[in-house]
Amino acid sequence: MHPHDLIRKNLELVATRAPDLTARFYDRLFERHPELRGMFGRRSAEAQQRMLLEAIVAVVDHLEDAAWLGETLGALGAKHVDYGVRDEMYPLVGSALVATLADVSGDEWDAETEAAWTAALTFVAETMIAGAESARRVAAE
């Protein structure tokens, strides 16, 4: 199965099994990295969770659309500079999300699904970081 299809299939599974997926993710992230909690105080927890889920769904819906991904994720990375997000934080977020997906997936999780999600989230992080670096360069000029 193509990695994009694995991701779509898994997202459908976890959304059915755990409508509170993003709440579980934030619980795990803040348990692992309590220092990040303060970065998420601008919005209610519910609003933040909804925004994350919408972002995940949008990215998964556009996995084959490189132009959309580059533009959207680059802009998102630039916006996250204003939130104080540093490049080294992206792997922490990705790791917590993969662990949450694995937990919810249970016996439906396998090495192929993990590899597909890890590759996709690495691409998301790299694209957002490129957008952040571009925003920092513009700000420095």
Side-chain angles (χ1 to χ4, degrees):
M1 188 179 291
H2 190 280
H4 294 172
D5 295 329
L6 284 170
I7 289 170
R8 288 188 177 99
K9 178 182 171 194
N10 183 254
L11 184 58
E12 187 176 317
L13 171 76
V14 297
T16 302
R17 285 190 179 176
D20 64 340
L21 175 71
T22 53
R24 291 181 188 210
F25 156 74
Y26 282 113
D27 286 348
R28 180 178 301 263
L29 180 66
F30 298 147
E31 179 182 303
R32 289 180 172 189
H33 307 285
E35 70 279 9
L36 298 181
R37 185 181 297 273
M39 301 187 76
F40 293 88
R42 286 171 212 81
R43 297 179 182 84
S44 70
E46 294 77 16
Q48 186 68 41
Q49 292 162 19
R50 187 173 56 253
M51 285 176 59
L52 175 62
L53 185 57
E54 288 169 0
I56 292 169
V57 169
V59 167
V60 170
D61 283 347
H62 290 89
L63 286 172
E64 284 85 16
D65 188 345
W68 184 93
L69 290 170
E71 183 177 328
T72 303
L73 295 172
L76 194 58
K79 184 186 293 187
H80 279 70
V81 170
D82 294 336
Y83 301 153
V85 175
R86 297 185 313 277
D87 295 354
E88 64 269 18
M89 294 174 177
Y90 286 92
L92 308 180
V93 170
S95 174
L97 183 53
V98 168
T100 305
L101 291 164
D103 282 352
V104 173
S105 298
D107 59 4
E108 297 291 321
W109 189 259
D110 58 24
E112 205 176 5
T113 302
E114 183 167 350
W117 271 114
T118 299
L121 293 171
T122 299
F123 172 81
V124 167
E126 289 170 349
T127 308
M128 288 180 69
I129 288 168
E133 287 171 354
S134 178
R136 288 187 202 107
R137 273 195 309 274
V138 169
E141 290 176 358

